[in-house]
Amino acid sequence: MSVTIAARRRPAVKLAEVVGVVLLIIAAMFALGPLLWTITTSLRTPAEAFTNPPQWIPLHADFSNYSAVFDQIPIGTFFVNSTIVTGLIVVGQTITCTLSGYAFAMVRFPGKNIVFGVFLATMMVPLQTIIIPVFVIVKNLGLSDSLGSLIIPALGSAFGTFLMRQYFMQMPVELGEAARVDGASRFKVFYMVYARMAAPAIATLAILNFSGFWAEFYRPLIFLQSQNNFTLPLGLVGLQGNLGTGSISVVLAGVILAMIPSVVLFIVAQRYFIAGITAGSFR
Amino acid sequence: MTTQPGVREASRATLPLASHRRPGVRREARKEGLFGYLMISLAVVFVAVFTLFPIIASLGLSLFKWDVISSPRFVGLANFQRLIHDGPTLHSFGVTVILAVGIVALQLSLGMFLAVLVNQRRSAWAKTTFRTVFYLPLLASTAAVSIFMGYMFDAKYGVINYYLSLVGLTKVPWLTTTWGSMISIILIVVWQQVGFTFVLFVAALTSVPSEVLEAASIDGASAVRTLFQVKIPLISPTILFATVVAMINALQLFDQPYIMTKGGPGTSTTTATIVMYQTGFQNLQFGYASTIAIVLLLIILAITGLQFLAARKLVFYQ
């Protein structure tokens, strides 16, 4: 396509290109605008925060909101809670899904297709449909209003298993056979040969889980009651509710702080975020 | 449990020490089976307890009346009968479907539009930059987006109405009127989610073989015609996929209306998931809430099924 256009640069084509670029830049401004507004408003004094026009370039950046947010809510605690919940789920699912995904792809055992079929079927069911029974189970396990209520039900995943299985399916069986002939145990073949080759899929799953659980609002809203157990999204919504419109810039400072880990991870591992879109959309 | 799967997959199988006649093959197979069960055991336990059992329990609970305090009482299909006559809940299903259709239509068309524009860029730098820009909103949590968008859409002080007033438009009561709140929710969800559709479409468009496009060009097809008659048919499986996924997500919409409008004004943005949450976790009617959840699941399955049916005529598989 690019070749043919380059070959005959008619004026009409050129005009269409310019229009295309302009439209893209406008779209980019709409995509970035709200984020930029959030950053710059978080740098205005609370009294100025709701005055228009917004200050797109923070000439007199005021970082007091960032310390105020620590004074007004236990955002440090929310950070720790979110980190524990997200971290343990990421680690847990990496283990359970890599093990099971490998077995479904590479190991022969009776009933494999039936169990895997059941896994696939559960993937279709939305969280809302199962939330009440999960709530009751969590309560009966004595996990109500604890970080465990968010972590433990999320340690296994049919979707994660599926994702890992798809990746292991593409790998050659001969490698494992050779290692077995050399005397490696079955687990060693998995651990030393295949799990290492699955690093990109593991990274994709970990990033997907990080994005999903770091941002999660619905389960924390239902499972958590005491503020000192709140995760960031729930805590920020509470902050917004408690403070009213007087301290918008403080709330927005909290919003920005909560986004920092995602942005840093995105900068470091952008391609796994993109890979996760194609993979994650199966969820 | 049959042994058939094993037989079918014999070609893929790992039979390290294998010759079928050698003794010990059965023992090896048994060992391999045990290894397999051990490997899946963790995932199976968690999925069984926290997904599979809850699905069955939800179905069961929908036939009970249960206020959590006293023990559940079997009521048969009474909850479903109640739902048929429950105006507010039926209304919430209507709201859910309207919002979902609005979100999916806008998200898909905008995502396609942006993907086509970016796909035309020749420099890899431009492609990467725009992809990053359109992905960025996905890095914020829905709760965070609901918070700052709530401020921006504020009718009196919000920055959006400020700019509208600059170009001479009247202030729009975004979050305080029925249509305003629905449109706001749609816009806000699409603003965040469009990057998802966009990334899928860019990947699909990039994979359209260049020979096909050259052939179209040699035949004198215009850019617009190439798009609608060559590219879009070729990537139609991705479009179907993106539509189905976006629709399933949109039908479960909760965070944005719950945080920004509390389902209001009135019930204009009260989605089915909000009614389910209120019924279950505020009014403690676990049985009836499960009924709502099951009906929502059925609606999701039905709409997904419809999309696949429509796709039979529209989607072109290579």
Side-chain angles (χ1 to χ4, degrees):
Chain A
M1 164 97 170
S2 53
V3 177
T4 50
I5 286 175
R8 45 189 177 111
R9 277 180 179 268
R10 290 173 303 172
V13 174
K14 267 200 157 171
L15 181 70
E17 281 212 4
V18 172
V19 172
V21 173
V22 170
L23 286 174
L24 273 179
I25 290 172
I26 293 172
M29 282 164 61
F30 273 98
L32 293 177
L35 297 171
L36 202 60
W37 179 85
T38 305
I39 294 173
T40 53
T41 307
S42 77
L43 296 171
R44 301 178 88 179
T45 60
E48 284 183 322
F50 235 160
T51 35
N52 282 314
Q55 216 168 26
W56 290 107
I57 299 156
L59 292 173
H60 308 285
D62 172 43
F63 285 91
S64 63
N65 299 314
Y66 285 81
S67 55
V69 76
F70 282 91
D71 298 336
Q72 296 184 6
I73 51 159
I75 197 169
T77 311
F78 300 161
F79 245 104
V80 172
N81 291 342
S82 275
T83 308
I84 293 173
V85 170
T86 311
L88 288 181
I89 293 174
V90 167
V91 171
Q93 274 202 28
T94 299
I95 295 170
T96 61
C97 298
T98 308
L99 291 173
S100 58
Y102 176 78
F104 283 121
M106 294 284 198
V107 184
R108 292 183 313 148
F109 55 91
K112 181 162 95 170
N113 290 1
I114 295 169
V115 181
F116 189 66
V118 173
F119 267 50
L120 283 184
T122 64
M123 272 168 59
M124 318 273 180
V125 179
L127 176 61
Q128 276 91 356
T129 305
I130 60 170
I131 193 73
I132 289 175
V134 172
F135 177 83
V136 176
I137 294 168
V138 158
K139 201 169 154 227
N140 284 326
L141 289 175
L143 295 170
S144 293
D145 192 21
S146 73
L147 297 183
S149 69
L150 298 175
I151 299 164
I152 292 173
L155 288 180
S157 161
F159 164 75
T161 300
F162 172 76
L163 180 78
M164 294 310 300
R165 172 190 178 265
Q166 296 309 92
Y167 201 78
F168 283 121
M169 289 287 275
Q170 306 164 6
M171 294 184 186
V173 289
E174 292 80 12
L175 278 177
E177 283 168 3
R180 287 284 286 153
V181 171
D182 290 346
S185 71
R186 289 197 166 84
F187 188 77
K188 214 167 176 188
V189 169
F190 156 73
Y191 186 71
M192 303 293 283
V193 180
Y194 289 105
R196 277 150 207 242
M197 283 163 54
I202 291 173
T204 304
L205 179 65
I207 293 283
L208 267 174
N209 278 328
F210 169 82
S211 323
F213 289 104
W214 186 262
E216 195 185 22
F217 179 73
Y218 188 67
R219 288 193 315 147
L221 174 73
I222 290 168
F223 290 168
L224 304 177
Q225 274 98 47
S226 16
Q227 204 193 32
N228 58 356
N229 286 327
F230 282 7
T231 52
L232 277 166
L234 190 60
L236 287 174
V237 171
L239 171 72
Q240 179 207 26
N242 294 337
L243 295 183
T245 50
S247 323
I248 292 177
S249 46
V250 179
V251 179
L252 294 178
V255 165
I256 295 296
L257 285 175
M259 261 188 86
I260 288 175
S262 311
V263 173
V264 170
L265 205 59
F266 182 73
I267 293 167
V268 178
Q270 185 175 357
R271 66 194 173 108
Y272 296 114
F273 279 85
I274 303 296
I277 287 225
T278 342
S281 36
F282 283 101
R283 198 182 331 222
Chain B
M1 306 256 165
T2 65
T3 50
Q4 221 195 340
V7 173
R8 208 184 302 148
E9 288 180 7
S11 57
R12 265 193 72 74
T14 38
L15 269 180
L17 306 168
S19 144
H20 283 278
R21 293 200 187 87
R22 203 180 287 181
V25 166
R26 269 171 167 268
R27 206 183 55 206
E28 272 305 309
R30 210 180 307 132
K31 273 187 175 172
E32 184 170 352
L34 187 65
F35 175 67
Y37 291 132
L38 277 175
M39 294 284 280
I40 64 167
S41 57
L42 280 172
V44 165
V45 167
F46 282 108
V47 170
V49 175
F50 293 108
T51 309
L52 184 60
F53 172 72
I55 293 170
I56 299 159
S58 246
L59 277 169
L61 265 180
S62 70
L63 305 174
F64 281 82
K65 195 177 161 113
W66 189 24
D67 61 3
V68 191
I69 301 146
S70 48
S71 53
R73 189 163 54 85
F74 184 76
V75 293
L77 292 173
N79 285 332
F80 288 89
Q81 279 165 340
R82 177 180 161 191
L83 181 67
I84 295 170
H85 303 288
D86 181 353
T89 305
L90 292 179
H91 181 262
S92 77
F93 281 111
V95 168
T96 306
V97 173
I98 292 173
L99 287 177
V101 169
I103 289 167
V104 172
L106 189 59
Q107 185 180 331
L108 267 283
S109 45
L110 190 61
M112 177 61 79
F113 180 70
L114 296 175
V116 169
L117 289 181
V118 166
N119 190 241
Q120 284 171 350
R121 298 291 92 228
R122 260 161 284 151
S123 80
W125 179 87
K127 280 183 180 167
T128 318
T129 307
F130 283 116
R131 196 180 65 178
T132 305
V133 165
F134 296 135
Y135 191 94
L136 280 178
L138 287 165
L139 292 179
S141 65
T142 47
V145 171
S146 308
I147 290 170
F148 63 71
M149 286 295 195
Y151 294 143
M152 296 182 73
F153 276 79
D154 188 276
K156 252 191 185 161
Y157 308 104
V159 61
I160 293 175
N161 271 350
Y162 167 74
Y163 281 114
L164 289 181
S165 72
L166 278 193
V167 292
L169 294 168
T170 51
K171 298 203 165 194
V172 180
W174 290 111
L175 296 172
T176 47
T177 55
T178 303
W179 286 106
S181 58
M182 293 179 88
I183 291 169
S184 306
I185 298 280
I186 291 173
L187 290 176
I188 289 159
V189 173
V190 172
W191 173 80
Q192 186 173 25
Q193 299 294 328
V194 72
F196 169 86
T197 315
F198 164 83
V199 169
L200 279 178
F201 286 166
V202 169
L205 284 171
T206 313
S207 69
V208 173
S210 56
E211 305 90 71
V212 178
L213 298 175
E214 273 159 29
S217 168
I218 289 166
D219 289 348
S222 68
V224 175
R225 216 173 143 198
T226 310
L227 174 65
F228 283 100
Q229 299 199 340
V230 180
K231 286 186 193 170
I232 288 185
L234 277 175
I235 69 165
S236 51
T238 304
I239 300 175
L240 169 68
F241 175 66
T243 314
V244 167
V245 172
M247 184 59 89
I248 290 176
N249 287 332
L251 288 169
Q252 300 174 55
L253 188 66
F254 179 85
D255 297 2
Q256 293 91 338
Y258 179 81
I259 295 169
M260 289 204 309
T261 59
K262 282 274 180 265
T267 54
S268 52
T269 55
T270 305
T271 57
T273 51
I274 292 182
V275 170
M276 199 216 109
Y277 170 77
Q278 291 166 338
T279 308
F281 297 104
Q282 290 177 345
N283 304 337
L284 297 183
Q285 302 177 356
F286 273 22
Y288 190 47
S290 297
T291 308
I292 297 172
I294 294 296
V295 171
L296 178 66
L297 173 65
L298 293 177
I299 289 175
I300 291 175
L301 291 178
I303 291 181
T304 307
L306 274 179
Q307 287 170 304
F308 276 104
L309 271 183
R312 281 192 177 179
K313 287 194 175 157
L314 298 172
V315 172
F316 170 81
Y317 291 100
Q318 275 174 292

